Amino acid sequence: MNMLPNADLLEPVADAEGGFHPLFADVPSSVEFNKLRKRLLRLTRQAIEDFAMVRLGDRWLVALSGGKDSYGLLAVLLDLKWRGLLPVELLACNLDQGQPNFPKHILPDYLDAHGISHRIEYQDTYSVVTDKLPQGSTYCSLCSRLRRGHLYRIAREEGCSALVLGHHREDILETFFMNLFHGGRLAAMPAKLLNDDGDVMVLRPLSYCAEADLEKFAAAMKFPIIPCDLCGSQEGLQRNAMKAMLDDLEKRMPGRKDTMLRALSNTRPSHLLDRKLFDFTALNGSLTAGQDVSDDI
């Protein structure tokens, strides 16, 4: 059951002493940053409400990679919680996967400095991946699966009902088009998903947030970003092609990304070709004379 309290997000909510979460102690005071912060808060809260992510008293494991998206996720969730709008306990978690030159001190130092509850876990999945895949391969897919398995385990060990990830609007759209062009199916990243074992919920509260906003937010917040290419591998060419295609569409037709995201929540099974999703054999009624069979097409 969704248990988000009602409150006005337009103005900051201070604590009894008039302060804010330490993470926001030195944020810019510009109108532009305030608008950006409010927009991220509003869109995140909207996704949490739309997909009924919150149950009162839950504990969430927030995956923190050191990239802009996971930093942004943690900051927005902490902001919502500080304002009394997110009645859950948050535990940040970084999984150190043994990539060469990974700066082990950055995340714990940052989290300690801001009084953020966290767990740092070391698991050398990098060696597993490099052992199984030939040199020059893209490691991201296998690396991600191994990481997810460990995060599920940690969530269970920490008594967390949900694993919270920092995927945003562009991640969802890129996944949709990768499935469309290369997988032959209509599927994207769900904002809420129960894992295969049925004991951990996977949540993506940033589903409505734009990557460009998260980039601006990360720069303004001065997050100590850890690069994602420490292992020498990067996302495959297919995802990069989808990103370039979407960026080109947005430049030529501004607003297309938001329109496409809305389309993912406005499907019409009878206007697709999936016989498992819609019973076309039951359409045996006769058409009324003059009826336009192309309605809504």
Side-chain angles (χ1 to χ4, degrees), residues 12-20 82:
V13 179
D15 67 2
E17 298 180 354
F20 299 94
W82 194 264

Side-chain angles (χ1 to χ4, degrees), residues 17-76:
E17 298 180 354
F20 299 94
H21 192 283
L23 198 63
F24 294 88
D26 299 316
V27 298
S29 57
S30 66
V31 172
E32 181 180 4
F33 177 78
N34 286 334
K35 287 182 177 179
L36 172 63
R37 181 178 176 183
K38 290 174 186 177
R39 182 163 62 250
L40 290 173
L41 286 170
R42 174 175 54 81
L43 291 173
T44 301
R45 189 168 186 239
Q46 187 64 57
I48 291 173
E49 290 181 337
D50 285 352
F51 297 97
M53 295 184 183
V54 169
R55 293 179 304 177
L56 192 62
D58 273 358
R59 193 174 197 222
W60 287 4
L61 187 75
V62 183
L64 185 64
S65 66
K68 69 181 189 320
D69 303 331
S70 62
Y71 272 123
L73 170 68
L74 179 62
V76 170

Side-chain angles (χ1 to χ4, degrees), residues 64-67 71 94-111 120 122 224-231:
L64 185 64
S65 66
Y71 272 123
N94 172 252
L95 182 64
D96 178 351
Q97 296 180 260
Q99 296 101 324
N101 303 314
F102 183 80
K104 297 178 180 295
H105 66 284
I106 289 181
L107 285 170
D109 287 354
Y110 180 80
L111 295 168
I120 306 296
Y122 177 79
I225 302 297
I226 299 174
C228 64
D229 60 351
L230 291 172
C231 60

